[in-house]
Coordinates of all heavy atoms in Angstrom, one line a residue:
M139 N -66.3 25.4 -36.0 CA -65.0 25.1 -35.5 C -64.1 24.9 -36.7 O -64.4 24.2 -37.7 CB -65.0 23.8 -34.7 CG -63.6 23.5 -34.2 SD -63.7 22.1 -33.0 CE -62.0 21.7 -32.8
E140 N -62.9 25.6 -36.7 CA -62.0 25.5 -37.8 C -61.1 24.4 -37.7 O -60.6 24.1 -36.6 CB -61.3 26.9 -37.9 CG -60.7 27.1 -39.2 CD -60.2 28.6 -39.3 OE1 -60.6 29.4 -38.4 OE2 -59.6 28.9 -40.3
I141 N -60.7 23.7 -38.8 CA -59.8 22.6 -38.8 C -58.4 23.2 -38.6 O -58.0 24.1 -39.2 CB -59.9 21.8 -40.1 CG1 -61.3 21.2 -40.2 CG2 -58.8 20.8 -40.2 CD1 -61.5 20.5 -41.6
Y142 N -57.6 22.5 -37.7 CA -56.3 23.0 -37.4 C -55.3 22.7 -38.6 O -55.4 21.6 -39.1 CB -55.7 22.2 -36.2 CG -54.3 22.5 -35.9 CD1 -53.8 23.6 -35.3 CD2 -53.3 21.5 -36.3 CE1 -52.5 23.8 -35.1 CE2 -52.0 21.7 -36.1 CZ -51.6 22.9 -35.5 OH -50.2 23.1 -35.3
R143 N -54.6 23.6 -39.0 CA -53.5 23.5 -40.0 C -52.3 24.1 -39.5 O -52.3 25.2 -39.0 CB -53.9 24.1 -41.3 CG -55.1 23.4 -42.0 CD -55.4 24.0 -43.4 NE -55.5 25.5 -43.3 CZ -55.6 26.3 -44.3 NH1 -55.6 25.8 -45.5 NH2 -55.7 27.6 -44.1
C144 N -51.2 23.3 -39.5 CA -49.9 23.8 -38.9 C -49.4 25.0 -39.7 O -49.4 25.1 -40.9 CB -48.9 22.6 -39.0 SG -47.3 23.1 -38.2
N145 N -48.8 25.9 -38.9 CA -48.3 27.2 -39.5 C -46.9 27.4 -38.9 O -46.8 27.5 -37.7 CB -49.2 28.3 -39.1 CG -48.7 29.6 -39.7 OD1 -47.7 29.7 -40.4 ND2 -49.4 30.7 -39.4
R146 N -45.9 27.4 -39.7 CA -44.5 27.5 -39.2 C -44.3 28.9 -38.5 O -43.4 29.0 -37.7 CB -43.5 27.3 -40.3 CG -43.4 25.9 -40.8 CD -42.5 25.9 -42.0 NE -42.4 24.5 -42.4 CZ -41.2 23.8 -42.5 NH1 -40.1 24.4 -42.2 NH2 -41.2 22.6 -43.0
N147 N -45.1 29.9 -38.9 CA -44.9 31.2 -38.4 C -45.7 31.4 -37.1 O -45.7 32.5 -36.6 CB -45.2 32.2 -39.4 CG -44.3 32.1 -40.6 OD1 -43.1 31.8 -40.5 ND2 -44.8 32.3 -41.8
C148 N -46.4 30.4 -36.7 CA -47.3 30.6 -35.5 C -46.5 30.2 -34.2 O -45.6 29.4 -34.3 CB -48.5 29.7 -35.6 SG -49.6 29.7 -34.2
G149 N -46.8 30.8 -33.1 CA -46.1 30.6 -31.9 C -46.9 29.8 -30.9 O -46.5 29.7 -29.7
C150 N -48.1 29.2 -31.3 CA -48.8 28.4 -30.3 C -48.1 27.1 -30.0 O -47.2 26.7 -30.7 CB -50.3 28.2 -30.8 SG -50.4 26.9 -32.0
M151 N -48.5 26.5 -28.9 CA -47.8 25.3 -28.4 C -47.9 24.1 -29.4 O -46.9 23.4 -29.6 CB -48.3 24.8 -27.1 CG -48.0 25.8 -25.9 SD -46.3 26.2 -25.7 CE -45.6 24.6 -25.2
R152 N -49.0 23.9 -30.0 CA -49.1 22.8 -31.0 C -48.2 23.0 -32.2 O -47.6 22.1 -32.6 CB -50.6 22.7 -31.4 CG -50.8 21.4 -32.2 CD -52.2 21.1 -32.5 NE -53.0 20.8 -31.4 CZ -54.2 20.3 -31.4 NH1 -54.8 20.2 -32.6 NH2 -54.9 20.1 -30.3
C153 N -48.1 24.2 -32.7 CA -47.3 24.5 -33.9 C -45.8 24.3 -33.5 O -45.0 23.9 -34.3 CB -47.5 25.9 -34.4 SG -49.1 26.0 -35.3
R154 N -45.5 24.7 -32.2 CA -44.1 24.5 -31.8 C -43.7 23.1 -31.7 O -42.6 22.7 -32.0 CB -43.9 25.2 -30.4 CG -43.9 26.7 -30.5 CD -43.6 27.2 -29.1 NE -43.7 28.7 -29.1 CZ -43.6 29.4 -28.0 NH1 -43.3 28.8 -26.9 NH2 -43.7 30.7 -28.1
F155 N -44.6 22.2 -31.2 CA -44.3 20.8 -31.0 C -44.2 20.1 -32.4 O -43.6 19.0 -32.5 CB -45.4 20.1 -30.2 CG -45.2 20.3 -28.7 CD1 -46.2 20.8 -27.9 CD2 -44.0 20.0 -28.1 CE1 -46.0 21.0 -26.5 CE2 -43.8 20.3 -26.7 CZ -44.8 20.7 -26.0
R156 N -44.8 20.7 -33.4 CA -44.7 20.1 -34.7 C -43.3 19.9 -35.3 O -43.0 19.1 -36.0 CB -45.5 20.9 -35.8 CG -47.0 20.7 -35.6 CD -47.4 19.4 -36.1 NE -48.8 19.1 -35.8 CZ -49.6 18.4 -36.5 NH1 -49.1 17.8 -37.6 NH2 -50.8 18.2 -36.2
G157 N -42.4 20.8 -34.8 CA -41.1 20.8 -35.4 C -40.0 20.2 -34.5 O -38.8 20.3 -34.9
I158 N -40.4 19.5 -33.5 CA -39.3 19.0 -32.6 C -39.1 17.5 -32.7 O -38.2 17.0 -32.1 CB -39.7 19.3 -31.1 CG1 -40.9 18.5 -30.7 CG2 -39.9 20.8 -30.9 CD1 -41.1 18.5 -29.2
M159 N -39.8 16.8 -33.6 CA -39.7 15.3 -33.6 C -38.3 14.8 -33.9 O -37.8 14.1 -33.2 CB -40.7 14.8 -34.6 CG -40.6 13.3 -34.8 SD -40.9 12.3 -33.3 CE -42.7 12.3 -33.3
W160 N -37.7 15.3 -35.0 CA -36.4 14.8 -35.4 C -35.4 15.2 -34.4 O -34.4 14.4 -34.2 CB -36.1 15.3 -36.8 CG -36.8 14.5 -37.9 CD1 -37.8 15.0 -38.7 CD2 -36.7 13.1 -38.2 NE1 -38.3 14.0 -39.4 CE2 -37.7 12.8 -39.2 CE3 -35.9 12.1 -37.7 CZ2 -37.8 11.6 -39.7 CZ3 -36.0 10.8 -38.3 CH2 -37.0 10.6 -39.3
G161 N -35.4 16.3 -33.9 CA -34.5 16.7 -32.9 C -34.5 15.8 -31.6 O -33.5 15.4 -31.1
V162 N -35.7 15.5 -31.2 CA -35.9 14.7 -30.0 C -35.4 13.2 -30.3 O -34.8 12.6 -29.5 CB -37.4 14.7 -29.5 CG1 -37.6 13.6 -28.5 CG2 -37.7 16.0 -29.0
V163 N -35.7 12.8 -31.6 CA -35.3 11.4 -31.9 C -33.8 11.3 -32.0 O -33.2 10.4 -31.4 CB -35.9 11.0 -33.3 CG1 -35.2 9.8 -33.9 CG2 -37.4 10.8 -33.2
F164 N -33.1 12.3 -32.5 CA -31.6 12.3 -32.6 C -31.0 12.4 -31.2 O -30.0 11.8 -30.9 CB -31.1 13.4 -33.5 CG -31.2 13.0 -35.0 CD1 -32.0 13.7 -35.9 CD2 -30.6 11.9 -35.5 CE1 -32.1 13.4 -37.2 CE2 -30.7 11.5 -36.8 CZ -31.4 12.3 -37.7
I165 N -31.6 13.3 -30.4 CA -31.0 13.4 -29.0 C -31.2 12.2 -28.2 O -30.2 11.7 -27.6 CB -31.7 14.6 -28.3 CG1 -31.3 15.9 -29.0 CG2 -31.4 14.6 -26.8 CD1 -32.0 17.2 -28.5
T166 N -32.3 11.5 -28.3 CA -32.6 10.3 -27.6 C -31.7 9.2 -28.1 O -31.0 8.5 -27.3 CB -34.0 9.9 -27.7 OG1 -34.8 11.0 -27.2 CG2 -34.3 8.7 -26.8
G167 N -31.6 9.0 -29.4 CA -30.7 8.0 -30.0 C -29.3 8.3 -29.6 O -28.5 7.3 -29.3
G168 N -28.8 9.5 -29.6 CA -27.5 9.8 -29.2 C -27.2 9.5 -27.8 O -26.1 9.0 -27.4
I169 N -28.1 9.8 -26.9 CA -27.9 9.5 -25.5 C -27.9 8.0 -25.3 O -27.0 7.5 -24.5 CB -29.1 10.1 -24.6 CG1 -28.9 11.6 -24.6 CG2 -29.1 9.5 -23.2 CD1 -30.1 12.3 -24.0
L170 N -28.7 7.2 -26.0 CA -28.7 5.8 -25.8 C -27.4 5.2 -26.3 O -26.8 4.3 -25.7 CB -29.9 5.1 -26.6 CG -31.3 5.5 -26.0 CD1 -32.4 4.8 -26.9 CD2 -31.4 5.0 -24.6
L171 N -26.9 5.7 -27.5 CA -25.6 5.2 -28.0 C -24.5 5.6 -27.0 O -23.5 4.8 -26.8 CB -25.4 5.7 -29.4 CG -26.2 5.2 -30.5 CD1 -26.0 5.9 -31.8 CD2 -26.0 3.7 -30.6
L172 N -24.5 6.8 -26.5 CA -23.5 7.2 -25.5 C -23.5 6.3 -24.3 O -22.4 5.9 -23.8 CB -23.8 8.7 -25.1 CG -22.8 9.3 -24.2 CD1 -21.4 9.4 -24.8 CD2 -23.2 10.7 -23.7
L173 N -24.7 6.0 -23.8 CA -24.7 5.1 -22.6 C -24.2 3.8 -22.9 O -23.5 3.1 -22.1 CB -26.2 5.0 -22.1 CG -26.7 6.3 -21.5 CD1 -28.2 6.1 -21.1 CD2 -25.9 6.7 -20.2
E174 N -24.4 3.3 -24.1 CA -23.8 2.0 -24.5 C -22.3 2.1 -24.6 O -21.6 1.2 -24.2 CB -24.4 1.5 -25.9 CG -23.9 0.2 -26.3 CD -24.5 -0.3 -27.6 OE1 -25.0 0.6 -28.4 OE2 -24.4 -1.5 -27.9
T175 N -21.8 3.2 -25.2 CA -20.4 3.3 -25.4 C -19.7 3.4 -24.0 O -18.6 3.0 -23.9 CB -20.1 4.6 -26.2 OG1 -20.8 4.5 -27.4 CG2 -18.6 4.8 -26.4
M176 N -20.4 4.0 -23.0 CA -19.8 4.1 -21.7 C -19.7 2.8 -21.0 O -19.0 2.7 -20.0 CB -20.6 5.1 -20.8 CG -20.5 6.5 -21.3 SD -21.7 7.6 -20.5 CE -21.0 7.6 -18.9
G177 N -20.3 1.8 -21.5 CA -20.2 0.4 -20.9 C -21.0 0.2 -19.7 O -20.7 -0.7 -18.9
L178 N -22.0 1.0 -19.5 CA -22.9 0.8 -18.3 C -23.6 -0.5 -18.4 O -24.1 -0.9 -19.5 CB -23.9 1.9 -18.1 CG -23.3 3.3 -17.9 CD1 -24.4 4.4 -17.9 CD2 -22.5 3.3 -16.6
P179 N -23.7 -1.3 -17.4 CA -24.4 -2.6 -17.5 C -25.9 -2.4 -17.8 O -26.6 -1.6 -17.3 CB -24.2 -3.2 -16.0 CG -23.9 -2.0 -15.2 CD -23.3 -1.0 -16.0
G180 N -26.4 -3.2 -18.8 CA -27.8 -3.2 -19.2 C -28.1 -2.0 -20.1 O -29.3 -1.8 -20.4
M181 N -27.2 -1.3 -20.6 CA -27.5 -0.1 -21.4 C -27.1 -0.3 -22.9 O -26.8 0.6 -23.6 CB -26.8 1.1 -20.9 CG -27.2 1.6 -19.6 SD -29.0 1.8 -19.4 CE -29.2 3.3 -20.4
D182 N -27.1 -1.6 -23.4 CA -26.8 -1.8 -24.8 C -28.1 -1.6 -25.6 O -29.2 -1.7 -25.1 CB -26.3 -3.2 -25.0 CG -27.2 -4.3 -24.5 OD1 -28.0 -3.9 -23.6 OD2 -27.0 -5.5 -24.8
T183 N -27.9 -1.2 -26.9 CA -29.1 -0.8 -27.7 C -30.0 -1.9 -28.0 O -31.2 -1.7 -28.3 CB -28.6 -0.1 -29.0 OG1 -27.7 -1.0 -29.6 CG2 -28.0 1.2 -28.7
D184 N -29.6 -3.1 -27.8 CA -30.5 -4.3 -28.0 C -31.6 -4.2 -26.9 O -32.7 -4.7 -27.2 CB -29.7 -5.6 -27.9 CG -28.8 -5.8 -29.0 OD1 -28.9 -5.1 -30.0 OD2 -27.8 -6.6 -28.9
R185 N -31.3 -3.6 -25.8 CA -32.3 -3.6 -24.7 C -33.0 -2.2 -24.6 O -34.0 -2.1 -24.0 CB -31.6 -4.0 -23.4 CG -31.0 -5.3 -23.4 CD -30.3 -5.6 -22.2 NE -31.3 -6.0 -21.2 CZ -30.9 -6.2 -19.9 NH1 -29.7 -6.0 -19.5 NH2 -31.9 -6.6 -19.0
T186 N -32.3 -1.2 -25.1 CA -32.8 0.2 -24.8 C -33.6 0.8 -26.0 O -34.2 1.9 -25.8 CB -31.7 1.1 -24.4 OG1 -30.7 1.2 -25.5 CG2 -31.0 0.7 -23.1
W187 N -33.6 0.2 -27.1 CA -34.3 0.8 -28.3 C -35.8 1.1 -28.0 O -36.3 2.0 -28.6 CB -34.1 -0.1 -29.5 CG -34.8 -1.4 -29.6 CD1 -34.2 -2.6 -29.2 CD2 -36.1 -1.7 -29.9 NE1 -35.1 -3.6 -29.3 CE2 -36.3 -3.0 -29.8 CE3 -37.2 -0.9 -30.4 CZ2 -37.5 -3.6 -30.0 CZ3 -38.4 -1.5 -30.6 CH2 -38.6 -2.8 -30.5
P188 N -36.5 0.3 -27.2 CA -37.9 0.7 -27.0 C -38.1 2.1 -26.3 O -39.1 2.7 -26.5 CB -38.4 -0.4 -26.0 CG -37.6 -1.6 -26.3 CD -36.2 -1.0 -26.6
I189 N -37.0 2.6 -25.7 CA -37.1 3.9 -25.1 C -37.3 5.0 -26.3 O -38.1 5.9 -26.1 CB -35.8 4.3 -24.3 CG1 -35.7 3.4 -23.1 CG2 -35.7 5.7 -24.0 CD1 -34.4 3.5 -22.3
L190 N -36.7 4.7 -27.4 CA -36.9 5.6 -28.6 C -38.4 5.6 -29.0 O -38.9 6.6 -29.3 CB -36.0 5.1 -29.7 CG -35.7 6.1 -30.8 CD1 -35.1 7.4 -30.2 CD2 -34.8 5.5 -31.8
L191 N -39.0 4.4 -29.0 CA -40.4 4.4 -29.4 C -41.3 5.1 -28.3 O -42.2 5.8 -28.7 CB -40.9 2.9 -29.4 CG -40.3 2.1 -30.6 CD1 -40.9 0.7 -30.5 CD2 -40.6 2.7 -31.9
I192 N -40.9 5.0 -27.1 CA -41.7 5.7 -26.0 C -41.6 7.2 -26.2 O -42.6 8.0 -26.1 CB -41.2 5.3 -24.6 CG1 -41.6 3.8 -24.4 CG2 -41.8 6.2 -23.6 CD1 -40.9 3.2 -23.2
V193 N -40.4 7.7 -26.5 CA -40.1 9.1 -26.7 C -40.9 9.6 -27.9 O -41.5 10.7 -27.9 CB -38.6 9.4 -26.8 CG1 -38.4 10.8 -27.2 CG2 -38.0 9.2 -25.5
I194 N -40.9 8.8 -29.0 CA -41.6 9.2 -30.2 C -43.1 9.3 -29.9 O -43.8 10.2 -30.3 CB -41.3 8.3 -31.4 CG1 -39.9 8.4 -31.9 CG2 -42.3 8.5 -32.5 CD1 -39.5 7.4 -32.9
G195 N -43.6 8.4 -29.1 CA -45.0 8.4 -28.7 C -45.4 9.6 -27.9 O -46.4 10.2 -28.1
V196 N -44.5 10.0 -27.0 CA -44.8 11.1 -26.2 C -44.8 12.4 -27.0 O -45.7 13.3 -26.9 CB -43.7 11.3 -25.0 CG1 -43.8 12.6 -24.3 CG2 -43.9 10.1 -24.0
V197 N -43.9 12.5 -28.0 CA -43.9 13.7 -28.8 C -45.1 13.7 -29.7 O -45.7 14.8 -29.9 CB -42.6 13.7 -29.7 CG1 -42.6 14.8 -30.7 CG2 -41.4 13.9 -28.8
L198 N -45.5 12.6 -30.2 CA -46.8 12.6 -31.0 C -48.0 13.0 -30.2 O -48.9 13.7 -30.6 CB -47.0 11.2 -31.6 CG -46.0 10.8 -32.8 CD1 -46.3 9.3 -33.2 CD2 -46.3 11.7 -34.0
M199 N -48.0 12.5 -28.9 CA -49.1 12.8 -28.1 C -49.1 14.3 -27.8 O -50.2 15.0 -27.8 CB -49.0 12.1 -26.8 CG -50.2 12.2 -25.8 SD -50.0 11.4 -24.3 CE -48.6 12.3 -23.5
L200 N -48.0 14.9 -27.6 CA -47.9 16.4 -27.4 C -48.3 17.1 -28.6 O -49.0 18.2 -28.5 CB -46.4 16.8 -27.0 CG -46.0 16.4 -25.6 CD1 -44.5 16.7 -25.4 CD2 -46.8 17.1 -24.5
Q201 N -47.9 16.6 -29.8 CA -48.3 17.3 -31.0 C -49.8 17.3 -31.2 O -50.4 18.2 -31.8 CB -47.6 16.6 -32.2 CG -46.2 16.9 -32.3 CD -45.5 16.2 -33.5 OE1 -46.1 15.3 -34.1 NE2 -44.3 16.5 -33.8
R202 N -50.5 16.2 -30.8 CA -51.9 16.1 -31.0 C -52.8 16.8 -29.9 O -53.9 17.2 -30.2 CB -52.4 14.6 -31.0 CG -51.7 13.8 -32.0 CD -52.3 13.9 -33.4 NE -51.9 12.9 -34.4 CZ -50.6 12.8 -34.9 NH1 -49.7 13.5 -34.5 NH2 -50.4 11.9 -35.8
T203 N -52.2 17.0 -28.7 CA -53.0 17.5 -27.6 C -52.6 18.8 -27.1 O -53.3 19.4 -26.2 CB -53.0 16.5 -26.5 OG1 -51.6 16.4 -26.0 CG2 -53.5 15.1 -26.8
A204 N -51.5 19.4 -27.6 CA -51.1 20.7 -27.1 C -52.1 21.8 -27.4 O -52.9 21.7 -28.4 CB -49.7 21.1 -27.7
S205 N -52.1 22.8 -26.7 CA -53.0 23.9 -26.8 C -52.8 24.7 -28.1 O -51.7 24.9 -28.6 CB -52.9 24.9 -25.6 OG -53.6 26.0 -25.9
T206 N -53.9 25.1 -28.7 CA -53.9 25.9 -29.9 C -54.3 27.4 -29.6 O -54.6 28.1 -30.5 CB -54.9 25.4 -31.0 OG1 -56.2 25.3 -30.4 CG2 -54.4 24.0 -31.4
E207 N -54.2 27.7 -28.3 CA -54.5 29.1 -28.0 C -53.6 30.1 -28.7 O -52.4 29.9 -28.6 CB -54.4 29.2 -26.5 CG -54.8 30.6 -26.0 CD -54.8 30.7 -24.5 OE1 -54.8 29.7 -23.8 OE2 -54.7 31.8 -24.0
G208 N -54.1 31.0 -29.3 CA -53.3 32.0 -30.1 C -52.9 31.5 -31.4 O -52.0 32.2 -32.1
H209 N -53.4 30.4 -31.9 CA -53.0 29.8 -33.2 C -53.4 30.8 -34.4 O -54.5 31.3 -34.4 CB -53.6 28.5 -33.4 CG -53.3 27.8 -34.7 ND1 -52.1 27.5 -35.1 CD2 -54.2 27.6 -35.8 CE1 -52.1 27.0 -36.3 NE2 -53.4 27.0 -36.8
L210 N -52.5 30.8 -35.3 CA -52.8 31.6 -36.6 C -52.8 30.6 -37.7 O -51.8 29.9 -37.9 CB -51.7 32.6 -36.8 CG -51.6 33.8 -35.8 CD1 -50.4 34.6 -36.1 CD2 -52.9 34.6 -35.8
Q211 N -53.9 30.5 -38.5 CA -54.0 29.6 -39.6 C -53.0 30.1 -40.7 O -52.7 31.3 -40.7 CB -55.4 29.6 -40.2 CG -56.4 28.9 -39.3 CD -56.3 27.4 -39.3 OE1 -55.3 26.8 -39.8 NE2 -57.3 26.8 -38.7
P212 N -52.5 29.2 -41.5 CA -51.6 29.6 -42.6 C -52.3 30.6 -43.5 O -53.4 30.5 -43.8 CB -51.3 28.3 -43.3 CG -51.6 27.2 -42.4 CD -52.7 27.7 -41.5
G213 N -51.5 31.6 -43.9 CA -52.1 32.7 -44.7 C -52.6 33.9 -44.0 O -52.8 34.9 -44.5
V214 N -52.7 33.7 -42.6 CA -53.1 34.9 -41.8 C -51.8 35.5 -41.2 O -51.1 34.8 -40.6 CB -54.0 34.4 -40.7 CG1 -54.4 35.6 -39.8 CG2 -55.3 33.8 -41.2
S215 N -51.6 36.7 -41.5 CA -50.4 37.3 -41.0 C -50.6 37.8 -39.5 O -51.7 38.2 -39.1 CB -50.0 38.5 -41.8 OG -51.0 39.5 -41.8
A216 N -49.5 37.6 -38.8 CA -49.5 38.0 -37.4 C -49.4 39.6 -37.3 O -48.9 40.2 -38.2 CB -48.3 37.4 -36.7
P217 N -49.8 40.1 -36.2 CA -49.6 41.6 -36.0 C -48.2 41.9 -36.1 O -47.3 41.1 -35.6 CB -50.3 41.9 -34.6 CG -50.5 40.6 -34.0 CD -50.5 39.5 -35.1
P218 N -47.8 43.1 -36.6 CA -46.4 43.4 -36.8 C -45.6 43.5 -35.5 O -44.4 43.4 -35.5 CB -46.4 44.7 -37.5 CG -47.7 45.3 -37.2 CD -48.7 44.1 -37.0
F219 N -46.3 43.7 -34.4 CA -45.6 43.8 -33.1 C -46.6 43.3 -32.0 O -47.8 43.3 -32.2 CB -45.2 45.3 -32.8 CG -46.3 46.2 -32.9 CD1 -47.2 46.5 -31.9 CD2 -46.5 46.9 -34.1 CE1 -48.2 47.4 -32.0 CE2 -47.6 47.8 -34.3 CZ -48.4 48.0 -33.2
P220 N -46.0 42.8 -30.9 CA -46.9 42.3 -29.8 C -47.8 43.5 -29.3 O -47.3 44.6 -29.1 CB -46.0 41.8 -28.8 CG -44.6 42.0 -29.3 CD -44.6 42.7 -30.6
M221 N -49.0 43.1 -29.1 CA -50.0 44.2 -28.6 C -49.8 44.3 -27.1 O -50.2 43.5 -26.3 CB -51.4 43.7 -28.9 CG -51.6 43.5 -30.4 SD -51.4 45.0 -31.3 CE -53.0 45.7 -31.4
Q222 N -49.1 45.4 -26.7 CA -48.8 45.6 -25.3 C -49.3 47.0 -25.0 O -49.2 47.9 -25.9 CB -47.4 45.5 -25.0 CG -46.8 44.1 -25.2 CD -45.3 44.1 -24.9 OE1 -44.7 45.1 -24.7 NE2 -44.8 42.8 -24.8
P223 N -49.8 47.2 -23.8 CA -50.3 48.6 -23.5 C -49.1 49.5 -23.5 O -48.0 49.2 -23.0 CB -50.9 48.4 -22.1 CG -50.3 47.2 -21.6 CD -50.0 46.3 -22.7
V224 N -49.3 50.7 -24.0 CA -48.3 51.7 -24.0 C -48.3 52.5 -22.7 O -49.4 53.0 -22.4 CB -48.4 52.6 -25.2 CG1 -47.4 53.7 -25.2 CG2 -48.4 51.8 -26.5
P225 N -47.2 52.5 -22.0 CA -47.3 53.3 -20.7 C -47.4 54.8 -21.0 O -46.9 55.3 -22.0 CB -45.9 53.0 -20.1 CG -45.0 52.6 -21.2 CD -45.9 51.9 -22.2
P226 N -48.1 55.5 -20.1 CA -48.2 57.0 -20.4 C -46.9 57.7 -20.3 O -46.0 57.3 -19.5 CB -49.1 57.4 -19.2 CG -49.0 56.3 -18.2 CD -48.7 55.1 -18.9
A227 N -46.7 58.6 -21.1 CA -45.4 59.4 -21.1 C -45.4 60.3 -20.0 O -46.0 61.4 -20.0 CB -45.3 60.1 -22.4
S228 N -44.7 59.9 -18.9 CA -44.7 60.7 -17.7 C -43.5 61.6 -17.6 O -43.5 62.7 -17.0 CB -44.8 59.8 -16.4 OG -43.7 59.0 -16.4
N229 N -42.4 61.2 -18.2 CA -41.2 61.9 -18.1 C -40.8 62.3 -19.5 O -40.0 61.7 -20.2 CB -40.1 61.0 -17.5 CG -38.8 61.9 -17.2 OD1 -38.8 63.1 -17.4 ND2 -37.8 61.2 -16.7
T230 N -41.3 63.5 -19.9 CA -40.9 63.9 -21.3 C -39.7 64.8 -21.3 O -39.2 65.1 -22.4 CB -42.1 64.8 -21.8 OG1 -42.4 65.9 -20.9 CG2 -43.3 63.9 -22.0
E231 N -39.1 65.1 -20.1 CA -37.9 66.0 -20.1 C -36.7 65.2 -20.6 O -35.8 65.8 -21.2 CB -37.7 66.5 -18.7 CG -38.7 67.5 -18.2 CD -39.2 67.1 -16.9 OE1 -38.6 66.3 -16.2 OE2 -40.2 67.7 -16.4
S232 N -36.7 63.9 -20.5 CA -35.5 63.1 -20.9 C -35.4 63.1 -22.4 O -34.3 62.9 -22.9 CB -35.6 61.7 -20.3 OG -36.7 61.1 -20.8
T233 N -36.6 63.2 -23.1 CA -36.5 63.1 -24.5 C -36.4 64.5 -25.2 O -36.0 64.5 -26.4 CB -37.8 62.4 -25.1 OG1 -38.9 63.2 -24.6 CG2 -37.9 61.0 -24.5
T234 N -36.6 65.5 -24.5 CA -36.5 66.8 -25.1 C -35.2 67.5 -24.6 O -34.7 67.2 -23.5 CB -37.7 67.7 -24.7 OG1 -37.8 67.8 -23.3 CG2 -39.0 67.2 -25.2
T235 N -34.7 68.4 -25.4 CA -33.5 69.1 -25.0 C -33.9 70.3 -24.2 O -34.7 71.1 -24.6 CB -32.8 69.5 -26.3 OG1 -32.6 68.4 -27.1 CG2 -31.5 70.2 -25.9
A236 N -33.3 70.4 -23.0 CA -33.5 71.6 -22.2 C -32.6 72.7 -22.6 O -31.4 72.6 -22.7 CB -33.3 71.2 -20.7
I237 N -33.2 73.8 -22.9 CA -32.5 75.0 -23.3 C -32.7 76.0 -22.2 O -33.8 76.4 -21.9 CB -33.0 75.6 -24.6 CG1 -32.8 74.5 -25.7 CG2 -32.2 76.8 -25.0 CD1 -33.4 74.9 -27.0
E238 N -31.6 76.4 -21.6 CA -31.6 77.3 -20.5 C -31.3 78.7 -21.1 O -30.2 78.9 -21.6 CB -30.7 76.9 -19.4 CG -30.8 77.8 -18.2 CD -30.0 77.2 -17.1 OE1 -30.0 76.0 -16.9 OE2 -29.3 78.0 -16.4
V239 N -32.2 79.7 -20.9 CA -31.9 81.0 -21.4 C -31.8 81.9 -20.2 O -32.6 81.9 -19.3 CB -33.1 81.5 -22.3 CG1 -32.9 82.9 -22.8 CG2 -33.3 80.5 -23.5
R240 N -30.7 82.7 -20.2 CA -30.5 83.6 -19.1 C -30.7 85.0 -19.7 O -30.1 85.4 -20.7 CB -29.1 83.4 -18.5 CG -29.1 82.2 -17.7 CD -27.7 82.1 -17.0 NE -27.7 80.9 -16.2 CZ -26.8 80.6 -15.3 NH1 -25.9 81.5 -15.0 NH2 -26.9 79.5 -14.6
H241 N -31.4 85.8 -19.0 CA -31.6 87.2 -19.3 C -30.8 88.1 -18.3 O -31.2 88.1 -17.2 CB -33.0 87.6 -19.4 CG -33.8 86.9 -20.5 ND1 -33.7 87.2 -21.8 CD2 -34.6 85.8 -20.4 CE1 -34.4 86.4 -22.5 NE2 -35.0 85.5 -21.7
E242 N -29.8 88.7 -18.7 CA -29.0 89.5 -17.7 C -29.0 91.0 -18.1 O -29.1 91.4 -19.2 CB -27.6 89.0 -17.6 CG -27.5 87.6 -17.0 CD -26.1 87.2 -16.9 OE1 -25.1 88.0 -17.0 OE2 -25.9 85.9 -16.7
Ligands
ZN395 ZN1 -50.3 27.6 -34.1

């Protein structure tokens, strides 16, 4: 079993969750400050700051437990294009120029 190492160029779920921590922290903090500014009862930051800790914990849990299916270790290059089956060329007339020759 290979040890997981984060790769910024990888598209697996664990690598994606590695980069969301600061964004989630700022969004959550902004929402909490906005709710306080709106003057809703019980929404002052003295009481709501533990929500930030809960959100950080959820993100950390996602980072540790997310799937590594399709993970690429750093230094391993991805295929240049997604491997998809190529459909058979059934209509070749659209790509070729039809030349009509009349013999009179
Ligand atoms: Zn990955």
Side-chain angles (χ1 to χ4, degrees):
M139 181 173 171
E140 200 166 351
I141 297 174
Y142 171 81
R143 292 185 309 171
C144 184
N145 182 2
R146 288 177 181 236
N147 298 323
C148 177
C150 77
M151 292 305 292
R152 189 174 292 189
C153 289
R154 287 183 185 177
F155 281 127
R156 286 285 172 150
I158 67 169
M159 176 61 84
W160 285 109
V162 170
V163 166
F164 281 119
I165 289 171
T166 305
I169 290 172
L170 293 178
L171 290 174
L172 180 66
L173 291 174
E174 182 181 17
T175 304
M176 293 171 67
L178 296 176
M181 295 305 290
D182 53 346
T183 51
D184 293 341
R185 302 176 79 187
T186 58
W187 68 266
I189 293 174
L190 199 57
L191 293 181
I192 294 170
V193 170
I194 290 171
V196 168
V197 172
L198 287 175
M199 187 182 69
L200 288 173
Q201 288 177 348
R202 303 278 193 292
T203 60
S205 171
T206 58
E207 183 178 340
H209 175 68
L210 296 171
Q211 291 285 12
V214 177
S215 61
F219 52 87
M221 301 299 267
Q222 295 177 351
V224 177
S228 60
N229 188 4
T230 57
E231 292 132 11
S232 63
T233 57
T234 58
T235 305
I237 301 174
E238 188 172 316
V239 179
R240 290 186 178 193
H241 297 280
E242 295 181 16

